[in-house]
Amino acid sequence: MNSQLQVICADITKLHVDAIVNAANHTLLGGGGVDGAIHRAAGPELVKECYGLGGCRTGEAKLTGGYQLPAKYVIHTVGPIYYEDEHPAERLADCYRNSLMIAINRGLKTIAFPCISTGMYGYPADEAAHIAVSTVRSVLSETGSNICVTFCCFGTRDEALYRALLNA
Ligand code: AR6
């Protein structure tokens, strides 16, 4: 299964994958961080589609087109705010599980995740990385899917955390 998982340090908006995951907010109408970068790179058609989605609850995930991105689709999910939301670990796992299930059910072959909730939403990076890797591994083993999953880090500290987990 480890051959299906990879770690890179990159700007997720540049990746040529079937789907990138967006760490969005409840409105799904854009924001800062990776959300802002994805909306800027996708162009204004993305927010138009997002208007029709009716927002998104914490832990849920919703799919749109990728528009001007190299990725065909964007899967928007809303991570927990670490110091505010109840059961943040469960909600963060829901983000990874629900996003990955959308991709698997669509028959997508490649998906890339950012480090959801670890920026503005304050989730400690090491705890979040454990949840990301263990949840993705569980979904792959439960479903038997051969989808390739990239953990797209935006700094070398996160990259090192994920490399250690994947090599463990
Ligand atoms: N490519 C990959 N990763 C990135 C990029 C990028 N271009 N830009 C930032 N990151 P954050 P959150 C990393 O704050 O904590 C938004 O305003 C970043 O270094 O984007 O889930 C939303 O609208 C960090 O590791 O998302 C919400 O209001 C990770 O992406 C709120 O922020 C997540 O940081 C969501 O907060």
Side-chain angles (χ1 to χ4, degrees):
M1 181 199 294
N2 261 349
S3 64
Q4 285 173 255
L5 305 180
Q6 67 156 338
V7 184
I8 55 167
C9 191
D11 176 351
I12 202 166
T13 67
K14 308 281 192 227
L15 300 186
H16 292 256
V17 287
D18 289 338
I20 59 170
V21 175
N22 182 15
N25 59 55
H26 291 134
T27 70
L28 296 186
L29 300 181
V34 71
D35 192 10
I38 288 172
H39 275 272
R40 276 192 301 280
E45 295 298 311
L46 178 58
V47 81
K48 280 191 201 158
E49 184 175 358
C50 286
Y51 268 113
L53 297 178
C56 187
R57 275 181 264 178
T58 304
E60 285 184 348
K62 296 191 176 180
L63 179 127
T64 66
Y67 300 97
Q68 293 170 41
L69 289 162
K72 294 189 199 89
Y73 299 99
V74 179
I75 298 171
H76 306 261
T77 189
V78 181
I81 301 173
Y82 188 68
Y83 291 106
E84 279 183 23
D85 287 334
E86 283 182 9
H87 310 298
E90 286 90 336
R91 295 296 80 76
L92 187 61
D94 290 343
C95 290
Y96 284 92
R97 174 174 291 275
N98 290 329
S99 299
L100 191 49
M101 286 309 301
I102 286 176
I104 290 170
N105 289 335
R106 280 247 165 185
L108 304 188
K109 301 271 180 273
T110 51
I111 182 172
F113 283 96
C115 303
I116 300 165
S117 280
T118 65
M120 205 164 311
Y121 283 179
Y123 214 112
D126 52 344
E127 289 176 37
H130 270 95
I131 291 167
V133 171
S134 66
T135 306
V136 166
R137 279 188 169 137
S138 297
V139 173
L140 294 182
S141 87
E142 286 160 22
T143 60
S145 168
N146 58 9
I147 192 169
C148 291
V149 179
T150 298
F151 296 103
C152 180
C153 299
F154 206 48
T156 50
R157 224 179 300 166
D158 277 333
E159 186 188 8
L161 280 172
Y162 277 86
R163 287 205 186 286
L165 287 168
L166 293 196
N167 292 330

